[in-house]
Amino acid sequence: SEDAEYLRVLLIEEPEAHLHPQLQVRLLKYLEETATNSRVQVIVTTHSPVLASSVSLKSIIHLSSPEDVGPCAVSIRNCGLPDKSEAFLSRWLDVTKSTLLFAKGIILVEGIAEAMLLPELAKTALQKYNSNSQDKLPDTLEDCGVSVINMNGIYFKHFMHLFCNLDNADRENLPVRCAGITDQDPPKDSKPTPSNKVPGTNSALELVDKTNKSEWVRLYVNDLKTFEYDLAFEGDNIQVLAKVLADNWPTDGEVKKEIQKLADKDWKTVAESEKADAAFMLLSRIEDSSNMGKGQFAQLLAEEIKQGAELAVPKYIYNAVVWACGGEPND
C-alpha cells in the first residue's frame, strides 16, 4: 500500500576520497541531516580520522581482523562507556587521537615528550626483542601499525574503557592491543633509586591490576619517578641527555658548565646516589620552560637518537612497545 514502510539505506564507501578535511566534515553533516530528515539509514565506510572524529561515538562500528580471532565488528555503543568517559572521549577524540580507531596497536602516553621519543625508543626495543625471540616483529611502530596517542594528562581510564571492562561488567571491547605508560609520580623533591624507591601518588596506578588481567590492555609503570628521570637512570643515558641539554642550552655560564660536566662523565659504574642527584638536576633543567621545556628537549633528543646516539630503553617502555606491537614481553 501507499502507507507501507520500506527500509531505505544509503551505502557510501570512503566518501573522504579527493576531499580536503573541511569538506569531509561538511559532507558528513549533510549526510547526518539527510538521514534524520528523510528517514534514511546512511552507512559510511571510512579510513578517515577526520570523519571518525566528527561523528557521535555511539554511531561508530569498529571493524578489525585480529590475528587468531578473525573478522570483528564491534559497536562502540556496546562497549559500555560510562557517561563521563563518553563525554570526555567525544571532546578529546580529535583528528590526531582518532587514529586509535584505525590502528593495529596503541600506546597511550601522558605528554608530548613521550609522544616524540617513543617512535625512536621503539626501534631499539624492537631490535632487542627480535634478537632474543623466534617470533619476529616489524622494526618500527609505523611498520607494526601502532599509533602513539598523547592524552595530555593521566586519562587512561577514559580511553581504556574501549578496550577492557574496568568495572568487571560483561561488555564488548575493541579487539586491539592497547598499552599505556605512566609515571610513579612520587613527591617532586624526591630522588628515588632502584634500591630506595619512593611510593608514587599517581591515580592511574590503581588501574594496573585490572588492566593487566584483561585480554587487550596493559598499563606499564616506571620504577622511579618520571619519564625523563627514569630514562636518565638507565645505563649510560645521562651522558647523552646531558650532551643534548648542554649543546642547546641558550646561555653560557655556570649552569651550562654544570650540565657539561655530566656529559663528560662515564655513568656506567656510578653510585646510585650520585646518579640520582644527576637525574634530579637534569629533570629540573629540562622542566625549566624559560630555557628549555620538555617538548623542546624531547624533540632535540629524538633528533640526536635519529642521528646515531644510543639510549638504553627502560624496561617499562620496552614492555609497552612489545605488547602493542603484538609480542609477548614476558613481564
Side-chain angles (χ1 to χ4, degrees):
S1 69
E2 294 181 359
D3 296 329
E5 287 289 335
Y6 295 96
L7 175 64
R8 294 187 289 180
V9 180
L10 174 62
L11 306 175
I12 306 177
E13 181 182 9
E14 299 185 1
E16 67 267 18
H18 310 298
L19 297 181
H20 59 72
Q22 292 80 7
L23 199 53
Q24 288 182 41
V25 176
R26 287 184 60 189
L27 173 61
L28 188 66
K29 297 305 179 186
Y30 170 77
L31 292 173
E32 286 181 324
E33 292 175 6
T34 300
T36 301
N37 297 333
S38 303
R39 300 180 67 184
V40 175
Q41 184 176 12
V42 179
I43 299 176
V44 173
T45 61
T46 182
H47 287 94
S48 169
V50 175
L51 294 184
S53 66
S54 303
V55 297
S56 165
L57 276 174
K58 288 185 175 180
S59 69
I60 295 176
I61 297 176
H62 180 272
L63 303 176
S64 62
S65 185
E67 189 175 349
D68 300 329
V69 176
C72 296
V74 177
S75 172
I76 291 182
R77 181 186 296 271
N78 295 333
C79 289
L81 286 172
D83 291 342
K84 288 184 178 179
S85 293
E86 183 184 342
F88 180 92
L89 291 175
S90 295
R91 288 191 299 269
W92 277 72
L93 284 182
D94 58 14
V95 174
T96 301
K97 297 181 185 67
S98 288
T99 58
L100 69 84
L101 296 172
F102 302 92
K104 292 182 178 179
I106 298 156
I107 302 177
L108 300 174
V109 300
E110 296 179 12
I112 188 64
E114 295 94 325
M116 285 187 175
L117 285 166
L118 248 294
E120 296 301 327
L121 297 176
K123 295 175 185 177
T124 302
L126 290 168
Q127 184 180 42
K128 178 181 177 181
Y129 178 84
N130 288 334
S131 67
N132 295 306
S133 174
Q134 293 182 345
D135 299 322
K136 307 301 182 186
L137 295 172
D139 296 329
T140 67
L141 292 184
E142 293 84 356
D143 291 340
C144 292
V146 171
S147 289
V148 178
I149 306 298
N150 175 15
M151 301 179 299
N152 291 304
I154 310 174
Y155 303 123
F156 295 100
K157 192 170 185 176
H158 296 303
F159 284 86
M160 287 179 171
H161 269 297
L162 291 170
F163 307 99
C164 70
N165 299 326
L166 294 174
D167 55 3
N168 298 318
D170 184 17
R171 300 189 179 103
E172 290 190 76
N173 304 128
L174 302 188
V176 177
R177 284 199 176 198
C178 175
I181 61 171
T182 192
D183 298 332
Q184 286 284 347
D185 286 338
K188 194 173 180 65
D189 60 352
S190 64
K191 297 179 182 180
T193 67
S195 62
N196 186 26
K197 297 180 181 180
V198 180
T201 58
N202 181 355
S203 60
L205 299 179
E206 65 186 29
L207 300 176
V208 173
D209 288 341
K210 291 182 179 179
T211 56
N212 293 4
K213 291 176 183 176
S214 70
E215 183 176 3
W216 299 106
V217 179
R218 298 290 183 271
L219 180 58
Y220 296 105
V221 185
N222 62 16
D223 282 336
L224 302 176
K225 189 169 183 176
T226 66
F227 174 65
E228 292 85 0
Y229 188 94
D230 281 59
L231 192 60
F233 237 95
E234 201 72 24
D236 200 27
N237 287 355
I238 287 179
Q239 194 173 69
V240 180
L241 271 62
K243 177 183 181 302
V244 172
L245 195 58
D247 288 349
N248 295 279
W249 196 255
T251 58
D252 292 324
E254 293 304 315
V255 172
K256 187 168 185 174
K257 290 179 181 177
E258 184 183 20
I259 298 170
Q260 187 61 53
K261 285 181 181 178
L262 303 183
D264 295 335
K265 188 178 181 68
D266 184 349
W267 292 92
K268 291 187 179 70
T269 58
V270 172
E272 283 187 357
S273 58
E274 188 177 353
K275 214 170 195 179
D277 288 337
F280 185 87
M281 191 273 276
L282 283 177
L283 178 60
S284 65
R285 298 304 182 191
I286 292 168
E287 290 179 332
D288 180 5
S289 58
S290 62
N291 285 297
M292 182 60 62
K294 286 190 173 186
Q296 183 181 354
F297 178 77
Q299 183 179 11
L300 294 167
L301 181 58
E303 187 61 29
E304 189 79 6
I305 300 171
K306 194 172 182 179
Q307 296 301 321
E310 295 184 5
L311 278 185
V313 178
K315 183 179 179 181
Y316 79 111
I317 294 176
Y318 170 87
N319 287 344
V321 168
V322 171
W323 170 260
C325 290
E328 297 301 329
N330 298 320
D331 56 334

